[in-house]
């Protein structure tokens, strides 16, 4: 744990990421859900790639579409390196975010991303693994009947599936690019 915290801080500093969180490292780890094509998904299937993971929902009015737009810009700025990066969008609203709904939402963005859903218990387990949070807020006066408040951090996992960087919502695309490039850089040992 201490080594990971050091690496997170070292990577953040080397990438000039003054906004990265420190001290509240999520445990992360493998999980299994269903992707937006309806196929089973396991995080371990992404070994060898850098993964950008965040939690949200398709009816989100602001944070989620803004994050998806930002990550589209990140992918564009990575150029050929984007082929080594996968974005995972885990819904915190599995009752409404079916695979088909997630697929339609992601088609609005120029991003090689997978939308992930599952049972409420599966989602809650992944949320807890990554130290994220969400809350269903009833809005009976609205057509949607409820909204979902949720944490907005972006987790960047290395090629072995370990959380190496955490970015707050306010992080810029350039800051995220620098962090991802640090993880994509070949290691010299």
């Amino acid at each position: 744990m201490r080594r990971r915290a050091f690496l997170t801080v070292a990577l953040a500093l080397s990438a000039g990421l003054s906004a990265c969180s420190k001290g509240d490292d999520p445990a992360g780890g493998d999980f299994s859900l269903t992707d937006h094509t309806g196929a089973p998904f396991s995080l371990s299937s992404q070994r060898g790639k850098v993964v950008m993971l965040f939690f949200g929902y398709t009816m989100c009015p602001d944070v989620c579409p803004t994050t998806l737009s930002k990550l589209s810009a990140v992918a564009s700025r990575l150029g050929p390196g984007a082929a080594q990066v996968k974005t995972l969008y885990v819904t915190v609203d599995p009752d409404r975010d079916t695979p088909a709904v997630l697929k339609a939402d992601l088609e609005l963005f120029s991003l090689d991303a997978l939308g992930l859903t599952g049972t409420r218990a599966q989602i809650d387990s992944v949320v807890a693994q990554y130290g994220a949070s969400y809350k269903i807020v009833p809005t009976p006066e609205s057509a949607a009947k409820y909204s979902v408040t949720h944490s907005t951090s972006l987790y960047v996992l290395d090629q072995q599936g370990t959380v190496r960087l955490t970015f707050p919502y306010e992080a810029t695309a350039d800051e995220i690019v620098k962090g991802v490039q640090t993880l994509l850089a070949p290691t010299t040992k």
Side-chain angles (χ1 to χ4, degrees), residues 28-34 40-51 53 86 88 114 116 126 129-130 157-162:
D30 286 330
F31 59 84
S32 296
L33 292 171
T34 300
F41 172 87
S42 174
L43 179 62
S44 62
S45 69
Q46 300 303 307
R47 292 294 187 272
K49 290 191 172 192
V50 170
V51 170
L53 181 152
K86 191 66 163 186
L88 303 179
L114 283 175
L116 300 173
V126 179
Q129 280 179 254
Y130 285 82
L157 288 59
D158 66 16
Q159 293 87 340
Q160 290 74 46
T162 302

Side-chain angles (χ1 to χ4, degrees), residues 9 12 15 26 49 62 86 89 105 111 138 172 176 183:
V9 171
K49 290 191 172 192
D62 45 21
K86 191 66 163 186
Y89 176 27
D105 191 47
L111 184 63
T172 66
I176 297 168
L183 296 178

Side-chain angles (χ1 to χ4, degrees), residues 51-186:
V51 170
M52 300 188 296
L53 181 152
F54 75 101
F55 297 88
Y57 69 115
T58 62
M59 293 185 74
C60 180
D62 45 21
V63 170
C64 297
T66 303
T67 299
L68 287 166
S69 292
K70 186 187 314 181
L71 297 181
S72 296
V74 168
S76 176
R77 292 177 194 175
L78 286 171
Q84 301 171 53
V85 178
K86 191 66 163 186
T87 300
L88 303 179
Y89 176 27
V90 180
T91 183
V92 291
D93 188 10
D95 295 334
R96 293 189 291 212
D97 287 346
T98 64
V101 169
L102 285 166
K103 183 175 186 294
D105 191 47
L106 287 172
E107 287 176 349
L108 301 173
F109 301 90
S110 298
L111 184 63
D112 181 20
L114 283 175
L116 300 173
T117 189
T119 66
R120 177 70 62 195
Q122 289 174 310
I123 297 296
D124 287 350
S125 176
V126 179
V127 165
Q129 280 179 254
Y130 285 82
S133 63
Y134 75 93
K135 181 178 179 184
I136 305 289
V137 179
T139 56
E141 70 286 349
S142 74
K145 301 298 179 198
Y146 66 91
S147 65
V148 186
T149 59
H150 59 91
S151 55
T152 59
S153 294
L154 172 71
Y155 306 94
V156 181
L157 288 59
D158 66 16
Q159 293 87 340
Q160 290 74 46
T162 302
V163 177
R164 296 284 298 275
L165 298 169
T166 305
F167 291 92
Y169 172 70
E170 297 80 11
T172 66
D174 286 338
E175 290 171 332
I176 297 168
V177 167
K178 286 179 184 176
V180 170
Q181 285 175 330
T182 302
L183 296 178
L184 289 174

